[in-house]
Amino acid sequence: MPEILIPRRDFLKKATAASMALSLNQTSFSPSLKKRKNKLPKWRGFNLLDFFNPDPENGRKTKPDYYKYMSDWGFDFVRIPISYPSYLDFDRSKPIRPDEVLQFNNRVLDEIDEILTNCHNQNLHVSLNLHRAPGFCINAGFKEPYNLWEDQEALDAFCAHWEMWSKRYKNISIKKLSFDLVNEPFKRLDPNDQHSPGGAVPIAEYRKVAEAALKTIKGINKKRLVIADGNGGGGTAIPEFADLDLHQSCRGYFPMHISHHKASWVFKDPDSLPSPSWPGMHNERMYQKEDLEKHYAPWIALLEQGVGVHCGELGCYNKTPHEVFLAWFGDILDILDENGIGFGLWEFSGTFGVLNSGRTDVDYEDWYGEKLDRKLLSLLMKNA
């Protein structure tokens, strides 16, 4: 074969290209430089509050067109936080008794079925969550007959509810439906007092509850995706659960002086609170994006342990100045997006929502008779 002469300039180009290719190839296989992988899909969407209230008549009914709006805007996720009394049949003029907590109302269950069908018709994944479980809810307003974290009778009822849901939806694909065990675990001195002192549930107590429900669900459909909310009201990651077949759900409410400004169910004297800013000072402390990054670091560490992470709730009450809300919220969405973590805005329509939020400082767009916060929607769609 005759000798082929390559001009020096061409040789240098090819050598440089080969060197770069080798470098890139080595980088892609370097464990220290691998991008962390989230084992949960990057679902993005909204919470629907139809059965959030213990009395189903007081729920916020989702309009049929809402499902299509979500899908058309590029979202693929709906979380349904449900209060267990909403689908029971009992005398609501009296506190519920332990012997009444399994009296399922088939008419209401059928209505919940309809929400799932509407979501699935628009290719929206559904996360079914017990916002109020037998013996526990982070919100007051309904007197529980026992304590989920301490009483075996409450745990038995909790598992019975998940058994019902698991059997009812056994044949729905895991791509269409996941289960979120119990909303925002928290332990108060008085479980029925919203402002009673409290904090994170002791890990052993939370683990006992989570393992029991997980065993129940997996015994019916072993492939079902199951999610545990962060401890201490949803904001604290739980590395102690990394060995379980559980994924975890964080929150987008830090810091709460931004997300829940003047919220009466959070602050005892809401009207006395100073107007927040972002970034800005609060109680002689500066809050900025760096603080958000530190807040989410334990959740990102879970990804590295092989635990899937999703942000089941995030958003901001309508008393926070709109521009402050958007500046803060954009930073949260950026951090979640950079780490492949999806989200569920609380809520679709209402005081935290993209529709009909009732803010006084927003120039709403008319959207088929609804009041649309276009700036918020654009921010969400950027990450959808």
Side-chain angles (χ1 to χ4, degrees), residues 52-72:
F52 167 70
N53 194 289
D55 185 347
E57 300 306 317
N58 294 328
R60 307 181 195 178
K61 300 303 180 185
T62 299
K63 296 180 181 180
D65 288 341
Y66 285 3
Y67 305 99
K68 187 176 187 305
Y69 297 161
M70 290 181 231
S71 181
D72 287 350

mmCIF file with all atom_site columns, all heavy atoms in Angstrom, residues 52-72:
data_model
loop_
_atom_site.group_PDB
_atom_site.id
_atom_site.type_symbol
_atom_site.label_atom_id
_atom_site.label_alt_id
_atom_site.label_comp_id
_atom_site.label_asym_id
_atom_site.label_entity_id
_atom_site.label_seq_id
_atom_site.pdbx_PDB_ins_code
_atom_site.Cartn_x
_atom_site.Cartn_y
_atom_site.Cartn_z
_atom_site.occupancy
_atom_site.B_iso_or_equiv
_atom_site.pdbx_formal_charge
_atom_site.auth_seq_id
_atom_site.auth_comp_id
_atom_site.auth_asym_id
_atom_site.auth_atom_id
_atom_site.pdbx_PDB_model_num
ATOM 1   N N   . PHE A 1 52 ? -60.153 17.166 49.655 1.00 0.00 ? 52 PHE A N   1
ATOM 2   C CA  . PHE A 1 52 ? -59.230 17.634 50.681 1.00 0.00 ? 52 PHE A CA  1
ATOM 3   C C   . PHE A 1 52 ? -59.947 17.884 52.007 1.00 0.00 ? 52 PHE A C   1
ATOM 4   O O   . PHE A 1 52 ? -59.385 17.715 53.080 1.00 0.00 ? 52 PHE A O   1
ATOM 5   C CB  . PHE A 1 52 ? -58.568 18.918 50.160 1.00 0.00 ? 52 PHE A CB  1
ATOM 6   C CG  . PHE A 1 52 ? -57.827 19.724 51.168 1.00 0.00 ? 52 PHE A CG  1
ATOM 7   C CD1 . PHE A 1 52 ? -56.636 19.273 51.707 1.00 0.00 ? 52 PHE A CD1 1
ATOM 8   C CD2 . PHE A 1 52 ? -58.305 20.962 51.578 1.00 0.00 ? 52 PHE A CD2 1
ATOM 9   C CE1 . PHE A 1 52 ? -55.943 20.028 52.639 1.00 0.00 ? 52 PHE A CE1 1
ATOM 10  C CE2 . PHE A 1 52 ? -57.626 21.725 52.500 1.00 0.00 ? 52 PHE A CE2 1
ATOM 11  C CZ  . PHE A 1 52 ? -56.435 21.250 53.035 1.00 0.00 ? 52 PHE A CZ  1
ATOM 12  N N   . ASN A 1 53 ? -61.213 18.275 51.955 1.00 0.00 ? 53 ASN A N   1
ATOM 13  C CA  . ASN A 1 53 ? -61.997 18.556 53.159 1.00 0.00 ? 53 ASN A CA  1
ATOM 14  C C   . ASN A 1 53 ? -62.610 17.274 53.705 1.00 0.00 ? 53 ASN A C   1
ATOM 15  O O   . ASN A 1 53 ? -63.033 16.417 52.924 1.00 0.00 ? 53 ASN A O   1
ATOM 16  C CB  . ASN A 1 53 ? -63.097 19.567 52.814 1.00 0.00 ? 53 ASN A CB  1
ATOM 17  C CG  . ASN A 1 53 ? -63.741 20.182 54.034 1.00 0.00 ? 53 ASN A CG  1
ATOM 18  O OD1 . ASN A 1 53 ? -64.488 19.520 54.759 1.00 0.00 ? 53 ASN A OD1 1
ATOM 19  N ND2 . ASN A 1 53 ? -63.475 21.455 54.270 1.00 0.00 ? 53 ASN A ND2 1
ATOM 20  N N   . PRO A 1 54 ? -62.676 17.100 55.038 1.00 0.00 ? 54 PRO A N   1
ATOM 21  C CA  . PRO A 1 54 ? -63.303 15.894 55.600 1.00 0.00 ? 54 PRO A CA  1
ATOM 22  C C   . PRO A 1 54 ? -64.757 15.705 55.163 1.00 0.00 ? 54 PRO A C   1
ATOM 23  O O   . PRO A 1 54 ? -65.252 14.583 55.126 1.00 0.00 ? 54 PRO A O   1
ATOM 24  C CB  . PRO A 1 54 ? -63.223 16.117 57.113 1.00 0.00 ? 54 PRO A CB  1
ATOM 25  C CG  . PRO A 1 54 ? -62.063 17.028 57.299 1.00 0.00 ? 54 PRO A CG  1
ATOM 26  C CD  . PRO A 1 54 ? -62.070 17.930 56.099 1.00 0.00 ? 54 PRO A CD  1
ATOM 27  N N   . ASP A 1 55 ? -65.435 16.808 54.844 1.00 0.00 ? 55 ASP A N   1
ATOM 28  C CA  . ASP A 1 55 ? -66.803 16.746 54.331 1.00 0.00 ? 55 ASP A CA  1
ATOM 29  C C   . ASP A 1 55 ? -66.752 16.913 52.817 1.00 0.00 ? 55 ASP A C   1
ATOM 30  O O   . ASP A 1 55 ? -66.375 17.976 52.323 1.00 0.00 ? 55 ASP A O   1
ATOM 31  C CB  . ASP A 1 55 ? -67.659 17.846 54.956 1.00 0.00 ? 55 ASP A CB  1
ATOM 32  C CG  . ASP A 1 55 ? -69.119 17.749 54.543 1.00 0.00 ? 55 ASP A CG  1
ATOM 33  O OD1 . ASP A 1 55 ? -69.429 17.006 53.592 1.00 0.00 ? 55 ASP A OD1 1
ATOM 34  O OD2 . ASP A 1 55 ? -69.954 18.431 55.172 1.00 0.00 ? 55 ASP A OD2 1
ATOM 35  N N   . PRO A 1 56 ? -67.125 15.882 52.047 1.00 0.00 ? 56 PRO A N   1
ATOM 36  C CA  . PRO A 1 56 ? -66.990 15.968 50.586 1.00 0.00 ? 56 PRO A CA  1
ATOM 37  C C   . PRO A 1 56 ? -67.811 17.096 49.975 1.00 0.00 ? 56 PRO A C   1
ATOM 38  O O   . PRO A 1 56 ? -67.488 17.571 48.877 1.00 0.00 ? 56 PRO A O   1
ATOM 39  C CB  . PRO A 1 56 ? -67.490 14.597 50.106 1.00 0.00 ? 56 PRO A CB  1
ATOM 40  C CG  . PRO A 1 56 ? -68.367 14.084 51.209 1.00 0.00 ? 56 PRO A CG  1
ATOM 41  C CD  . PRO A 1 56 ? -67.753 14.623 52.471 1.00 0.00 ? 56 PRO A CD  1
ATOM 42  N N   . GLU A 1 57 ? -68.841 17.546 50.666 1.00 0.00 ? 57 GLU A N   1
ATOM 43  C CA  . GLU A 1 57 ? -69.662 18.632 50.130 1.00 0.00 ? 57 GLU A CA  1
ATOM 44  C C   . GLU A 1 57 ? -68.908 19.960 50.136 1.00 0.00 ? 57 GLU A C   1
ATOM 45  O O   . GLU A 1 57 ? -69.315 20.908 49.457 1.00 0.00 ? 57 GLU A O   1
ATOM 46  C CB  . GLU A 1 57 ? -70.956 18.758 50.948 1.00 0.00 ? 57 GLU A CB  1
ATOM 47  C CG  . GLU A 1 57 ? -71.812 17.499 50.942 1.00 0.00 ? 57 GLU A CG  1
ATOM 48  C CD  . GLU A 1 57 ? -72.139 17.017 49.532 1.00 0.00 ? 57 GLU A CD  1
ATOM 49  O OE1 . GLU A 1 57 ? -72.474 17.862 48.681 1.00 0.00 ? 57 GLU A OE1 1
ATOM 50  O OE2 . GLU A 1 57 ? -72.043 15.791 49.286 1.00 0.00 ? 57 GLU A OE2 1
ATOM 51  N N   . ASN A 1 58 ? -67.824 20.038 50.914 1.00 0.00 ? 58 ASN A N   1
ATOM 52  C CA  . ASN A 1 58 ? -67.046 21.275 51.004 1.00 0.00 ? 58 ASN A CA  1
ATOM 53  C C   . ASN A 1 58 ? -65.763 21.231 50.184 1.00 0.00 ? 58 ASN A C   1
ATOM 54  O O   . ASN A 1 58 ? -64.896 22.077 50.340 1.00 0.00 ? 58 ASN A O   1
ATOM 55  C CB  . ASN A 1 58 ? -66.716 21.570 52.469 1.00 0.00 ? 58 ASN A CB  1
ATOM 56  C CG  . ASN A 1 58 ? -67.945 21.894 53.286 1.00 0.00 ? 58 ASN A CG  1
ATOM 57  O OD1 . ASN A 1 58 ? -68.909 22.469 52.775 1.00 0.00 ? 58 ASN A OD1 1
ATOM 58  N ND2 . ASN A 1 58 ? -67.948 21.515 54.554 1.00 0.00 ? 58 ASN A ND2 1
ATOM 59  N N   . GLY A 1 59 ? -65.635 20.237 49.330 1.00 0.00 ? 59 GLY A N   1
ATOM 60  C CA  . GLY A 1 59 ? -64.452 20.148 48.472 1.00 0.00 ? 59 GLY A CA  1
ATOM 61  C C   . GLY A 1 59 ? -64.477 21.208 47.377 1.00 0.00 ? 59 GLY A C   1
ATOM 62  O O   . GLY A 1 59 ? -65.489 21.874 47.158 1.00 0.00 ? 59 GLY A O   1
ATOM 63  N N   . ARG A 1 60 ? -63.354 21.365 46.690 1.00 0.00 ? 60 ARG A N   1
ATOM 64  C CA  . ARG A 1 60 ? -63.255 22.329 45.593 1.00 0.00 ? 60 ARG A CA  1
ATOM 65  C C   . ARG A 1 60 ? -63.346 21.547 44.285 1.00 0.00 ? 60 ARG A C   1
ATOM 66  O O   . ARG A 1 60 ? -62.352 20.988 43.833 1.00 0.00 ? 60 ARG A O   1
ATOM 67  C CB  . ARG A 1 60 ? -61.939 23.097 45.690 1.00 0.00 ? 60 ARG A CB  1
ATOM 68  C CG  . ARG A 1 60 ? -61.726 23.732 47.053 1.00 0.00 ? 60 ARG A CG  1
ATOM 69  C CD  . ARG A 1 60 ? -60.420 24.493 47.094 1.00 0.00 ? 60 ARG A CD  1
ATOM 70  N NE  . ARG A 1 60 ? -60.034 24.797 48.476 1.00 0.00 ? 60 ARG A NE  1
ATOM 71  C CZ  . ARG A 1 60 ? -58.926 25.408 48.812 1.00 0.00 ? 60 ARG A CZ  1
ATOM 72  N NH1 . ARG A 1 60 ? -58.069 25.776 47.883 1.00 0.00 ? 60 ARG A NH1 1
ATOM 73  N NH2 . ARG A 1 60 ? -58.633 25.648 50.081 1.00 0.00 ? 60 ARG A NH2 1
ATOM 74  N N   . LYS A 1 61 ? -64.510 21.466 43.741 1.00 0.00 ? 61 LYS A N   1
ATOM 75  C CA  . LYS A 1 61 ? -64.749 20.604 42.587 1.00 0.00 ? 61 LYS A CA  1
ATOM 76  C C   . LYS A 1 61 ? -63.969 21.064 41.356 1.00 0.00 ? 61 LYS A C   1
ATOM 77  O O   . LYS A 1 61 ? -64.028 22.226 40.955 1.00 0.00 ? 61 LYS A O   1
ATOM 78  C CB  . LYS A 1 61 ? -66.244 20.548 42.276 1.00 0.00 ? 61 LYS A CB  1
ATOM 79  C CG  . LYS A 1 61 ? -67.093 20.009 43.426 1.00 0.00 ? 61 LYS A CG  1
ATOM 80  C CD  . LYS A 1 61 ? -66.649 18.606 43.857 1.00 0.00 ? 61 LYS A CD  1
ATOM 81  C CE  . LYS A 1 61 ? -67.492 18.071 45.001 1.00 0.00 ? 61 LYS A CE  1
ATOM 82  N NZ  . LYS A 1 61 ? -67.003 16.767 45.509 1.00 0.00 ? 61 LYS A NZ  1
ATOM 83  N N   . THR A 1 62 ? -63.259 20.128 40.765 1.00 0.00 ? 62 THR A N   1
ATOM 84  C CA  . THR A 1 62 ? -62.475 20.407 39.572 1.00 0.00 ? 62 THR A CA  1
ATOM 85  C C   . THR A 1 62 ? -63.382 20.436 38.351 1.00 0.00 ? 62 THR A C   1
ATOM 86  O O   . THR A 1 62 ? -64.125 19.485 38.100 1.00 0.00 ? 62 THR A O   1
ATOM 87  C CB  . THR A 1 62 ? -61.383 19.341 39.384 1.00 0.00 ? 62 THR A CB  1
ATOM 88  O OG1 . THR A 1 62 ? -60.510 19.362 40.518 1.00 0.00 ? 62 THR A OG1 1
ATOM 89  C CG2 . THR A 1 62 ? -60.569 19.600 38.120 1.00 0.00 ? 62 THR A CG2 1
ATOM 90  N N   . LYS A 1 63 ? -63.292 21.512 37.580 1.00 0.00 ? 63 LYS A N   1
ATOM 91  C CA  . LYS A 1 63 ? -64.105 21.621 36.374 1.00 0.00 ? 63 LYS A CA  1
ATOM 92  C C   . LYS A 1 63 ? -63.547 20.701 35.289 1.00 0.00 ? 63 LYS A C   1
ATOM 93  O O   . LYS A 1 63 ? -62.324 20.533 35.174 1.00 0.00 ? 63 LYS A O   1
ATOM 94  C CB  . LYS A 1 63 ? -64.130 23.063 35.889 1.00 0.00 ? 63 LYS A CB  1
ATOM 95  C CG  . LYS A 1 63 ? -64.791 24.027 36.868 1.00 0.00 ? 63 LYS A CG  1
ATOM 96  C CD  . LYS A 1 63 ? -64.780 25.455 36.324 1.00 0.00 ? 63 LYS A CD  1
ATOM 97  C CE  . LYS A 1 63 ? -65.411 26.418 37.308 1.00 0.00 ? 63 LYS A CE  1
ATOM 98  N NZ  . LYS A 1 63 ? -65.402 27.819 36.797 1.00 0.00 ? 63 LYS A NZ  1
ATOM 99  N N   . PRO A 1 64 ? -64.421 20.100 34.485 1.00 0.00 ? 64 PRO A N   1
ATOM 100 C CA  . PRO A 1 64 ? -63.951 19.161 33.448 1.00 0.00 ? 64 PRO A CA  1
ATOM 101 C C   . PRO A 1 64 ? -62.862 19.726 32.543 1.00 0.00 ? 64 PRO A C   1
ATOM 102 O O   . PRO A 1 64 ? -61.932 19.006 32.148 1.00 0.00 ? 64 PRO A O   1
ATOM 103 C CB  . PRO A 1 64 ? -65.240 18.842 32.666 1.00 0.00 ? 64 PRO A CB  1
ATOM 104 C CG  . PRO A 1 64 ? -66.338 19.030 33.663 1.00 0.00 ? 64 PRO A CG  1
ATOM 105 C CD  . PRO A 1 64 ? -65.896 20.181 34.530 1.00 0.00 ? 64 PRO A CD  1
ATOM 106 N N   . ASP A 1 65 ? -62.951 21.030 32.210 1.00 0.00 ? 65 ASP A N   1
ATOM 107 C CA  . ASP A 1 65 ? -61.956 21.618 31.303 1.00 0.00 ? 65 ASP A CA  1
ATOM 108 C C   . ASP A 1 65 ? -60.567 21.725 31.921 1.00 0.00 ? 65 ASP A C   1
ATOM 109 O O   . ASP A 1 65 ? -59.568 21.844 31.197 1.00 0.00 ? 65 ASP A O   1
ATOM 110 C CB  . ASP A 1 65 ? -62.406 23.014 30.856 1.00 0.00 ? 65 ASP A CB  1
ATOM 111 C CG  . ASP A 1 65 ? -63.568 22.971 29.872 1.00 0.00 ? 65 ASP A CG  1
ATOM 112 O OD1 . ASP A 1 65 ? -63.793 21.903 29.271 1.00 0.00 ? 65 ASP A OD1 1
ATOM 113 O OD2 . ASP A 1 65 ? -64.239 24.007 29.720 1.00 0.00 ? 65 ASP A OD2 1
ATOM 114 N N   . TYR A 1 66 ? -60.485 21.708 33.249 1.00 0.00 ? 66 TYR A N   1
ATOM 115 C CA  . TYR A 1 66 ? -59.193 21.901 33.917 1.00 0.00 ? 66 TYR A CA  1
ATOM 116 C C   . TYR A 1 66 ? -58.178 20.831 33.514 1.00 0.00 ? 66 TYR A C   1
ATOM 117 O O   . TYR A 1 66 ? -56.991 21.119 33.356 1.00 0.00 ? 66 TYR A O   1
ATOM 118 C CB  . TYR A 1 66 ? -59.362 21.899 35.432 1.00 0.00 ? 66 TYR A CB  1
ATOM 119 C CG  . TYR A 1 66 ? -59.974 23.162 36.016 1.00 0.00 ? 66 TYR A CG  1
ATOM 120 C CD1 . TYR A 1 66 ? -60.409 24.207 35.207 1.00 0.00 ? 66 TYR A CD1 1
ATOM 121 C CD2 . TYR A 1 66 ? -60.126 23.299 37.396 1.00 0.00 ? 66 TYR A CD2 1
ATOM 122 C CE1 . TYR A 1 66 ? -60.971 25.351 35.747 1.00 0.00 ? 66 TYR A CE1 1
ATOM 123 C CE2 . TYR A 1 66 ? -60.677 24.444 37.955 1.00 0.00 ? 66 TYR A CE2 1
ATOM 124 C CZ  . TYR A 1 66 ? -61.099 25.460 37.132 1.00 0.00 ? 66 TYR A CZ  1
ATOM 125 O OH  . TYR A 1 66 ? -61.652 26.588 37.679 1.00 0.00 ? 66 TYR A OH  1
ATOM 126 N N   . TYR A 1 67 ? -58.639 19.599 33.373 1.00 0.00 ? 67 TYR A N   1
ATOM 127 C CA  . TYR A 1 67 ? -57.716 18.518 33.020 1.00 0.00 ? 67 TYR A CA  1
ATOM 128 C C   . TYR A 1 67 ? -57.080 18.787 31.654 1.00 0.00 ? 67 TYR A C   1
ATOM 129 O O   . TYR A 1 67 ? -55.877 18.562 31.458 1.00 0.00 ? 67 TYR A O   1
ATOM 130 C CB  . TYR A 1 67 ? -58.449 17.174 32.996 1.00 0.00 ? 67 TYR A CB  1
ATOM 131 C CG  . TYR A 1 67 ? -59.169 16.848 34.279 1.00 0.00 ? 67 TYR A CG  1
ATOM 132 C CD1 . TYR A 1 67 ? -60.546 17.070 34.413 1.00 0.00 ? 67 TYR A CD1 1
ATOM 133 C CD2 . TYR A 1 67 ? -58.478 16.316 35.366 1.00 0.00 ? 67 TYR A CD2 1
ATOM 134 C CE1 . TYR A 1 67 ? -61.209 16.768 35.590 1.00 0.00 ? 67 TYR A CE1 1
ATOM 135 C CE2 . TYR A 1 67 ? -59.135 16.015 36.550 1.00 0.00 ? 67 TYR A CE2 1
ATOM 136 C CZ  . TYR A 1 67 ? -60.508 16.251 36.658 1.00 0.00 ? 67 TYR A CZ  1
ATOM 137 O OH  . TYR A 1 67 ? -61.148 15.959 37.830 1.00 0.00 ? 67 TYR A OH  1
ATOM 138 N N   . LYS A 1 68 ? -57.899 19.263 30.725 1.00 0.00 ? 68 LYS A N   1
ATOM 139 C CA  . LYS A 1 68 ? -57.381 19.560 29.390 1.00 0.00 ? 68 LYS A CA  1
ATOM 140 C C   . LYS A 1 68 ? -56.422 20.746 29.420 1.00 0.00 ? 68 LYS A C   1
ATOM 141 O O   . LYS A 1 68 ? -55.400 20.738 28.726 1.00 0.00 ? 68 LYS A O   1
ATOM 142 C CB  . LYS A 1 68 ? -58.535 19.839 28.428 1.00 0.00 ? 68 LYS A CB  1
ATOM 143 C CG  . LYS A 1 68 ? -58.098 19.984 26.961 1.00 0.00 ? 68 LYS A CG  1
ATOM 144 C CD  . LYS A 1 68 ? -59.294 20.151 26.038 1.00 0.00 ? 68 LYS A CD  1
ATOM 145 C CE  . LYS A 1 68 ? -58.857 20.119 24.571 1.00 0.00 ? 68 LYS A CE  1
ATOM 146 N NZ  . LYS A 1 68 ? -57.820 21.114 24.242 1.00 0.00 ? 68 LYS A NZ  1
ATOM 147 N N   . TYR A 1 69 ? -56.743 21.765 30.221 1.00 0.00 ? 69 TYR A N   1
ATOM 148 C CA  . TYR A 1 69 ? -55.825 22.901 30.328 1.00 0.00 ? 69 TYR A CA  1
ATOM 149 C C   . TYR A 1 69 ? -54.444 22.429 30.778 1.00 0.00 ? 69 TYR A C   1
ATOM 150 O O   . TYR A 1 69 ? -53.410 22.825 30.218 1.00 0.00 ? 69 TYR A O   1
ATOM 151 C CB  . TYR A 1 69 ? -56.350 23.935 31.326 1.00 0.00 ? 69 TYR A CB  1
ATOM 152 C CG  . TYR A 1 69 ? -57.663 24.600 30.967 1.00 0.00 ? 69 TYR A CG  1
ATOM 153 C CD1 . TYR A 1 69 ? -58.422 25.244 31.945 1.00 0.00 ? 69 TYR A CD1 1
ATOM 154 C CD2 . TYR A 1 69 ? -58.148 24.603 29.653 1.00 0.00 ? 69 TYR A CD2 1
ATOM 155 C CE1 . TYR A 1 69 ? -59.630 25.868 31.635 1.00 0.00 ? 69 TYR A CE1 1
ATOM 156 C CE2 . TYR A 1 69 ? -59.356 25.212 29.329 1.00 0.00 ? 69 TYR A CE2 1
ATOM 157 C CZ  . TYR A 1 69 ? -60.088 25.848 30.329 1.00 0.00 ? 69 TYR A CZ  1
ATOM 158 O OH  . TYR A 1 69 ? -61.282 26.455 30.034 1.00 0.00 ? 69 TYR A OH  1
ATOM 159 N N   . MET A 1 70 ? -54.428 21.610 31.821 1.00 0.00 ? 70 MET A N   1
ATOM 160 C CA  . MET A 1 70 ? -53.140 21.116 32.340 1.00 0.00 ? 70 MET A CA  1
ATOM 161 C C   . MET A 1 70 ? -52.345 20.404 31.246 1.00 0.00 ? 70 MET A C   1
ATOM 162 O O   . MET A 1 70 ? -51.158 20.666 31.049 1.00 0.00 ? 70 MET A O   1
ATOM 163 C CB  . MET A 1 70 ? -53.377 20.155 33.498 1.00 0.00 ? 70 MET A CB  1
ATOM 164 C CG  . MET A 1 70 ? -53.889 20.783 34.766 1.00 0.00 ? 70 MET A CG  1
ATOM 165 S SD  . MET A 1 70 ? -54.084 19.540 36.063 1.00 0.00 ? 70 MET A SD  1
ATOM 166 C CE  . MET A 1 70 ? -55.752 19.880 36.580 1.00 0.00 ? 70 MET A CE  1
ATOM 167 N N   . SER A 1 71 ? -53.010 19.494 30.556 1.00 0.00 ? 71 SER A N   1
ATOM 168 C CA  . SER A 1 71 ? -52.337 18.723 29.515 1.00 0.00 ? 71 SER A CA  1
ATOM 169 C C   . SER A 1 71 ? -51.880 19.611 28.368 1.00 0.00 ? 71 SER A C   1
ATOM 170 O O   . SER A 1 71 ? -50.743 19.503 27.893 1.00 0.00 ? 71 SER A O   1
ATOM 171 C CB  . SER A 1 71 ? -53.284 17.633 29.002 1.00 0.00 ? 71 SER A CB  1
ATOM 172 O OG  . SER A 1 71 ? -52.656 16.851 28.013 1.00 0.00 ? 71 SER A OG  1
ATOM 173 N N   . ASP A 1 72 ? -52.754 20.516 27.927 1.00 0.00 ? 72 ASP A N   1
ATOM 174 C CA  . ASP A 1 72 ? -52.401 21.404 26.816 1.00 0.00 ? 72 ASP A CA  1
ATOM 175 C C   . ASP A 1 72 ? -51.226 22.307 27.164 1.00 0.00 ? 72 ASP A C   1
ATOM 176 O O   . ASP A 1 72 ? -50.452 22.704 26.280 1.00 0.00 ? 72 ASP A O   1
ATOM 177 C CB  . ASP A 1 72 ? -53.602 22.257 26.419 1.00 0.00 ? 72 ASP A CB  1
ATOM 178 C CG  . ASP A 1 72 ? -54.682 21.466 25.686 1.00 0.00 ? 72 ASP A CG  1
ATOM 179 O OD1 . ASP A 1 72 ? -54.411 20.307 25.316 1.00 0.00 ? 72 ASP A OD1 1
ATOM 180 O OD2 . ASP A 1 72 ? -55.785 22.006 25.488 1.00 0.00 ? 72 ASP A OD2 1
#
